[in-house]
């Protein structure tokens, strides 16, 4: 139903606009104009003033012409490096680079898919519920854009992110949330040979605490890791200070909270038992989510995939996406595979068939949401 020539032209146009993460200003202007010409009223937040990014997140709203849940589609506008001066060409059914840069199909294929779907929707006068398109900055720099977004601008009942590997048909129905912890343990220095009994070894405190906590694969939803351990100065000094970096992830937020508590309290308990002190600096990164097939957003996603003649393939992700953030703000959201390949490398490529299919999928989601 979509216009293949038109989406390909727009995709090629978008990938040739430099938008390495933190340098999104130029593409944001283009995207704002395009959204406005598609009939959206476009707002932005103030994330550029709060982060190192040069543009704001865009929130574009299109009023519904039919009943149905208000839906959100989202992609990110930034790319990884090296992403400047992309020279795309078409080879054997793929859009490829000249080998000196990434392509930026991650995530511009998603953006092109949404835009072409909306253009088709308008052209063919198809009914649709209220649609919000959210285009974020700073996804590649650790979800910085979405994590600092002005969530009061979000207006949907359910969300569909177009930013996952896997062919069209793949649906990420669970994603791990994450906490990061920096633990600082202060012991007491002493001469290791002369009067070690006067010292309190921060290394001993930390290692006893670590041995008490569950780590690695905790259960099917949850993982935890000590990623860095630094401290100590010399053979002959009882170590008075160590710093430990750790993380916990879980698809289930209650399990995530419980795991973080086990880790921080192990440090606190052992520190107190051995007369040391400890500070845990716990940083929430983003929420986890896990849907079963009774969840409306997943039902719609599955039905939409079938509507475009693909087999739904449900997957989980241990990494984060903007979808985690939307879920954390109470908008149940799934992430769709859109077929891009070898992302974050100079071999990144986009199968034309998947580009077209991804756009058809957006139309199918909209059709599924009309009541
Ligand atoms: Zn991406």
């Amino acid at each position: 139903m979509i216009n293949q020539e038109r989406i390909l032209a727009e995709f090629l146009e978008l990938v040739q606009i430099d938008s390495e993460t933190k340098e999104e200003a130029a593409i944001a202007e283009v995207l704002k104009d395009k959204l406005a010409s598609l009939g959206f009223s476009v707002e932005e937040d103030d994330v550029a003033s709060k982060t190192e990014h040069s543009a704001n997140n865009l929130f574009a709203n299109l009023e519904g012409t039919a009943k149905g849940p208000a839906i959100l589609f989202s992609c990110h506008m930034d790319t990884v490096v090296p992403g400047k001066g992309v020279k795309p060409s078409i080879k054997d059914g793929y859009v490829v680079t000249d080998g000196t840069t990434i392509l930026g199909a991650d995530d511009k294929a998603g953006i092109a898919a949404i835009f072409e779907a909306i253009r088709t929707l308008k052209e063919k006068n198809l009914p649709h519920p209220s649609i919000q398109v959210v285009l974020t900055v700073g996804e590649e720099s650790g979800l910085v854009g979405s994590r600092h977004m002005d969530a009061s601008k979000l207006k949907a009942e359910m969300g569909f992110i177009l930013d996952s590997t896997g062919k069209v048909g793949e649906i990420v129905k669970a994603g791990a949330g994450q906490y990061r912890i920096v633990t600082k343990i202060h012991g007491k220095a002493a001469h290791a040979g002369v009067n070690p009994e006067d010292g309190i070894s921060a290394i001993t405190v930390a290692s006893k605490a670590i041995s008490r906590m569950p780590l690695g694969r905790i259960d099917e939803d949850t993982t935890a890791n000590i990623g860095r351990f630094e401290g100590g100065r010399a053979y002959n000094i009882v170590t008075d200070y160590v710093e430990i970096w750790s993380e916990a992830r879980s698809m289930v937020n209650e399990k995530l909270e419980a795991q973080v508590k086990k880790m921080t309290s192990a440090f606190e308990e052992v520190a107190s038992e051995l007369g040391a002190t400890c500070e845990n600096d716990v940083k929430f990164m983003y929420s986890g989510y896990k849907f079963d097939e009774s969840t409306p957003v997943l039902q719609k996603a599955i039905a939409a995939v079938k509507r475009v003649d693909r087999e739904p393939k449900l997957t989980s992700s241990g990494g984060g996406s903007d979808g985690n953030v939307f879920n954390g703000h109470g908008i149940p959201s799934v992430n769709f595979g859109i077929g891009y390949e070898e992302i974050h490398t100079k071999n990144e490529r986009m199968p034309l068939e998947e580009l077209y299919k991804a756009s058809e999928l957006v139309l199918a989601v909209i059709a599924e949401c009309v009541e």
Side-chain angles (χ1 to χ4, degrees):
M1 199 190 285
I2 58 128
N3 181 326
Q4 299 187 346
E5 256 173 60
R6 195 168 58 187
I7 185 176
L8 178 57
E10 186 160 56
F11 175 65
L12 294 174
E13 177 194 347
L14 291 175
V15 298
Q16 290 177 81
I17 303 167
D18 296 348
S19 64
E20 286 182 353
T21 197
K22 297 185 181 155
E23 299 179 25
E24 299 96 339
I27 198 157
E29 287 309 310
V30 173
L31 296 172
K32 271 191 265 186
D33 288 347
K34 284 180 178 284
L35 285 162
S37 72
L38 287 168
F40 284 86
S41 65
V42 187
E43 293 178 40
E44 50 190 289
D45 61 11
D46 57 348
V47 78
S49 65
K50 295 190 274 189
T51 64
E52 293 179 310
H53 291 267
S54 59
N56 295 318
N57 296 307
L58 304 180
F59 303 79
N61 299 299
L62 189 66
E63 228 169 276
T65 62
K67 277 194 176 170
I71 54 177
L72 172 160
F73 293 102
S74 180
C75 291
H76 59 89
M77 66 177 92
D78 61 325
T79 72
V80 293
V81 297
K84 285 186 178 151
V86 175
K87 289 179 193 65
S89 60
I90 295 159
K91 202 178 146 196
D92 304 328
Y94 286 85
V95 181
V96 298
T97 68
D98 65 0
T100 65
T101 66
I102 54 112
L103 177 61
D106 171 15
D107 194 16
K108 290 168 182 170
I111 298 177
I114 295 170
F115 285 5
E116 176 56 27
I118 301 292
R119 209 168 272 129
T120 304
L121 194 72
K122 297 223 137 185
E123 215 169 55
K124 304 206 186 298
N125 227 342
L126 301 169
H128 61 85
S130 293
I131 298 172
Q132 183 172 55
V133 174
V134 181
L135 301 178
T136 60
V137 299
E139 195 273 348
E140 299 290 7
S141 55
L143 314 187
V144 168
S146 60
R147 288 198 291 115
H148 295 88
M149 109 181 350
D150 176 358
S152 71
K153 296 197 182 300
L154 295 174
K155 275 186 187 162
E157 286 168 53
M158 56 180 79
F160 303 88
I161 321 299
L162 283 86
D163 187 24
S164 179
T165 51
K167 297 235 174 271
V168 173
E170 209 161 305
I171 306 168
V172 184
K173 56 135 175 100
Q178 190 193 160
Y179 272 94
R180 288 182 179 168
I181 310 164
V182 175
T183 304
K184 297 174 175 175
I185 294 173
H186 299 271
K188 192 174 165 215
H191 192 290
V194 177
N195 59 336
E197 53 276 61
D198 293 335
I200 300 167
S201 167
I203 290 179
T204 303
V205 172
S207 56
K208 282 194 171 157
I210 290 167
S211 73
R212 279 190 200 177
M213 57 180 81
L215 290 169
R217 166 68 57 192
I218 310 296
D219 61 37
E220 54 165 359
D221 301 313
T222 314
T223 58
N225 184 51
I226 305 291
R228 188 178 152 98
F229 188 122
E230 190 177 5
R233 281 174 283 163
Y235 288 104
N236 61 354
I237 303 173
V238 175
T239 302
D240 61 348
Y241 178 75
V242 295
E243 189 172 304
I244 301 111
W245 297 1
S246 57
E247 64 154 41
R249 298 176 189 243
S250 184
M251 319 259 178
V252 179
N253 291 315
E254 296 72 33
K255 290 183 178 180
L256 180 58
E257 302 287 342
Q259 175 62 25
V260 169
K261 185 86 193 108
K262 280 179 193 164
M263 294 165 78
T264 54
S265 44
F267 284 123
E268 282 157 13
E269 279 163 24
V270 177
S272 130
E273 282 166 27
L274 299 184
T277 60
C278 118
E279 301 149 46
N280 287 302
D281 179 8
V282 179
K283 190 172 172 197
F284 171 73
M285 300 300 289
Y286 44 81
S287 296
Y289 65 99
K290 188 179 182 183
F291 299 128
D292 63 39
E293 289 185 33
S294 66
T295 315
V297 67
L298 187 53
Q299 284 177 342
K300 302 280 189 212
I302 290 171
V305 166
K306 289 181 177 162
R307 203 182 258 256
V308 298
D309 299 320
R310 289 279 174 101
E311 196 55 46
K313 187 178 163 204
L314 303 185
T315 62
S316 304
S317 170
S321 82
D322 284 343
N324 291 76
V325 178
F326 293 120
N327 278 296
H329 289 307
I331 298 172
S333 302
V334 293
N335 197 349
F336 281 125
I338 56 170
Y340 46 47
E341 296 177 11
E342 297 197 49
I343 56 166
H344 298 199
T345 77
K346 294 174 190 170
N347 297 323
E348 183 184 2
R349 56 184 199 163
M350 185 68 208
L352 293 175
E353 199 189 330
E354 297 306 301
L355 180 66
Y356 306 148
K357 210 55 156 177
S359 191
E360 299 284 2
L361 180 65
V362 173
L363 273 178
V365 168
I366 294 168
E368 283 299 329
C369 290
V370 171
E371 280 167 3

